[in-house]
Amino acid sequence: MLDFYDLVIIGGGPAGLAAALSARENGLGKILIAERDNCLGGILNQCIHNGFGLHYFKEELTGPEYAGRFIKKLAGSGIDCALDTMVLEIARDKSVKILNKKGYRSIGAGSVIIATGCRERTRGAIAVPGERPAGIFTAGTAQRYVNIEGLMPGRKALILGSGDIGLIMARRMTLEGAEVAACVELMPYSGGLTRNIVQCLEDYNIPLYLSHTLIDIQGKKRVERVIAARVDENRKPVPGSEKVFDCDTVLLSVGLIPENELSRGAGIEIDPRTNGAFVYENMETSSEGIFACGNAVHVHDLADFVTEEGFRAGKAAAGYILKGGKSSGGFINVNTAGGVSYTVPQRITTEALESKTDLFFRVNRVFGRSEILVRDGENIIRTCRRERMSPGEMERISLPPCSVGGLTVEAKEV
């Protein structure tokens, strides 16, 4: 007989944990969390640095402490957890195909929440030139080695890319006695939070080379040296600007991609800008009754924001089931202009427009003093000022109740 749950949540990280607790608080009965690792918590388990929880808990926690607070809430909640369980497919009828030590089976679901997080871009994805010696890791892999396995990936490292994990690993490697030669970033701005640039690079005198990239990795059995060069406005290396760094390790921090294989397999519409699912304000995807939240939708700055989306998705999934499996009807599209890369949600239901709605977005370059405009055609719905904006930090704006045919978000320097 097919096991049946009102809600199956795929992923037991911060988004999945929050979604499960929210669905339970909003009256949903049978809930299952399917997690491929052997414990709950997701990426938080290897993030032993502090800085988590400032928004949600109003105090500073490490990643494991942040996850532990939610895991503790699961005790006695009646929410089922299947660990060491790989989800292979979400079928059109919302049944979920899983594989674990008990074998392959299908689980029926009234609704599904995809909270699978994201993955790192690898060397193959960015086509770094040079030889293929040992000593090249993604920053997240190195983080797991150091923080969970107790292994050092190298003794003298160079970091390519300035994403938050790479910045944090620059500090972590230094604290463990390694030397970090530099952080090299292709873009003219950092991809990480400003606080991480200060606390992880500047505080440890680690140089950050903006508008630079690696043009060669050299070494036989192990990395021996790398060559970086400045790039022009077309991101092409500038002859004569080469810098040689002797090192035995290269850490890649060149971007994160939402885990979207299950979404694609389920026929869910994908936003090419985020590589995650198109979602409505309640985190429902283009497939009725299937929701997505957290880094599976778009890459977040803070776990607190991931948690917030999880709560929203859990509440919406509970409402979907308790209302007899019905979604809202009409919607409007949220478009972008000017310096805005993308928004989440990408669509807002007409029902939600009757109350306050939050929009998250990222800009595609560094802005000084600027103005955010949200308009319906030529009619301005909301304006908001910012002293500074950068691609590495997600922005948020609240919309008042309104009746519109469509929305466009743009940013302008003033």
Side-chain angles (χ1 to χ4, degrees), residues 40-325:
L40 297 171
I43 196 67
L44 292 174
N45 292 324
Q46 68 187 54
C47 299
I48 65 173
H49 53 278
N50 58 13
F52 297 88
L54 290 170
H55 291 259
Y56 185 74
F57 290 110
K58 309 303 180 187
E59 59 180 304
E60 201 168 19
L61 305 170
T62 65
E65 287 172 333
Y66 187 91
R69 296 206 175 180
F70 288 97
I71 294 169
K72 189 174 181 180
K73 290 182 179 182
L74 285 182
S77 67
I79 296 171
D80 291 338
C81 297
L83 302 178
D84 281 322
T85 298
M86 179 66 73
V87 175
L88 303 177
E89 180 187 359
I90 304 170
R92 300 286 176 171
D93 63 356
K94 293 192 284 290
S95 63
V96 177
K97 318 300 181 185
I98 67 170
L99 181 66
N100 55 24
K101 293 176 182 178
K102 296 179 180 179
Y104 173 86
R105 61 193 176 110
S106 181
I107 297 175
S111 60
V112 175
I113 294 179
I114 301 171
T116 48
C118 58
R119 66 176 183 269
E120 296 177 280
R121 284 188 172 91
T122 63
R123 178 176 181 172
I126 60 172
V128 176
E131 298 171 351
R132 295 294 186 267
I136 303 172
F137 307 88
T138 63
T141 298
Q143 185 182 58
R144 183 177 182 91
Y145 282 161
V146 176
N147 294 346
I148 294 183
E149 308 294 340
L151 302 171
M152 279 294 287
R155 287 297 170 186
K156 189 170 184 179
L158 181 132
I159 297 173
L160 175 61
S162 59
D164 286 312
I165 300 177
L167 298 175
I168 288 165
M169 281 307 296
R171 177 179 63 185
R172 189 76 179 99
M173 294 282 285
T174 302
L175 292 173
E176 288 296 328
E179 178 184 346
V180 178
C183 182
V184 174
E185 169 59 54
L186 176 67
M187 303 302 289
Y189 51 79
S190 171
L193 294 171
T194 301
R195 75 181 191 198
N196 284 334
I197 297 170
V198 174
Q199 296 173 4
C200 301
L201 296 186
E202 293 178 7
D203 286 357
Y204 293 89
N205 296 315
I206 298 170
L208 170 61
Y209 292 97
L210 299 175
S211 298
H212 279 71
T213 192
L214 295 190
I215 60 173
D216 196 12
I217 296 177
Q218 298 175 357
K220 294 182 179 179
K221 292 184 178 180
R222 178 86 189 192
V223 174
E224 298 172 8
R225 69 189 59 82
V226 298
I227 301 174
R230 184 164 50 85
V231 297
D232 60 21
E233 63 275 10
N234 298 314
R235 301 180 195 173
K236 301 295 184 182
V238 176
S241 66
E242 294 83 4
K243 293 179 176 66
V244 179
F245 297 93
D246 292 324
C247 58
D248 62 11
T249 305
V250 176
L251 301 187
L252 305 178
S253 180
V254 289
L256 301 168
I257 308 170
E259 290 273 14
N260 57 27
E261 285 77 14
L262 290 173
S263 299
R264 290 184 185 278
I268 292 170
E269 190 175 353
I270 301 295
D271 187 337
R273 301 166 299 178
T274 63
N275 282 312
F278 274 97
V279 291
Y280 298 92
E281 78 290 336
N282 64 355
M283 309 313 295
E284 188 172 21
T285 69
S286 60
S287 292
E288 188 174 296
I290 300 180
F291 302 79
C293 57
N295 288 339
V297 176
H298 64 127
V299 178
H300 291 63
D301 309 334
L302 303 176
D304 304 74
F305 295 160
V306 169
T307 295
E308 182 180 324
E309 276 191 3
F311 279 125
R312 201 181 317 148
K315 180 179 180 180
Y320 174 80
I321 294 297
L322 296 175
K323 290 177 183 177

Side-chain angles (χ1 to χ4, degrees), residues 243-400:
K243 293 179 176 66
V244 179
F245 297 93
D246 292 324
C247 58
D248 62 11
T249 305
V250 176
L251 301 187
L252 305 178
S253 180
V254 289
L256 301 168
I257 308 170
E259 290 273 14
N260 57 27
E261 285 77 14
L262 290 173
S263 299
R264 290 184 185 278
I268 292 170
E269 190 175 353
I270 301 295
D271 187 337
R273 301 166 299 178
T274 63
N275 282 312
F278 274 97
V279 291
Y280 298 92
E281 78 290 336
N282 64 355
M283 309 313 295
E284 188 172 21
T285 69
S286 60
S287 292
E288 188 174 296
I290 300 180
F291 302 79
C293 57
N295 288 339
V297 176
H298 64 127
V299 178
H300 291 63
D301 309 334
L302 303 176
D304 304 74
F305 295 160
V306 169
T307 295
E308 182 180 324
E309 276 191 3
F311 279 125
R312 201 181 317 148
K315 180 179 180 180
Y320 174 80
I321 294 297
L322 296 175
K323 290 177 183 177
K326 292 183 180 179
S327 298
S328 300
F331 67 89
I332 62 151
N333 289 312
V334 182
N335 303 304
T336 60
V340 179
S341 296
Y342 71 84
T343 70
V344 171
Q346 295 93 341
R347 293 165 180 157
I348 302 176
T349 61
T350 50
E351 179 182 332
L353 288 170
E354 298 173 2
S355 57
K356 188 189 80 168
T357 307
D358 286 338
L359 277 179
F360 293 86
F361 67 92
R362 285 188 192 272
V363 292
N364 57 19
R365 62 180 177 86
V366 175
F367 281 77
R369 184 172 295 178
S370 51
E371 187 176 57
I372 303 161
L373 300 174
V374 183
R375 52 185 172 79
D376 175 19
E378 298 302 317
N379 183 29
I380 296 177
I381 306 298
R382 177 78 197 277
T383 62
C384 191
R385 292 289 181 97
R386 292 286 192 276
E387 289 301 310
R388 182 183 182 277
M389 296 188 292
S390 71
E393 302 193 28
M394 195 160 61
E395 299 291 334
R396 178 181 196 161
I397 188 169
S398 295
L399 302 180

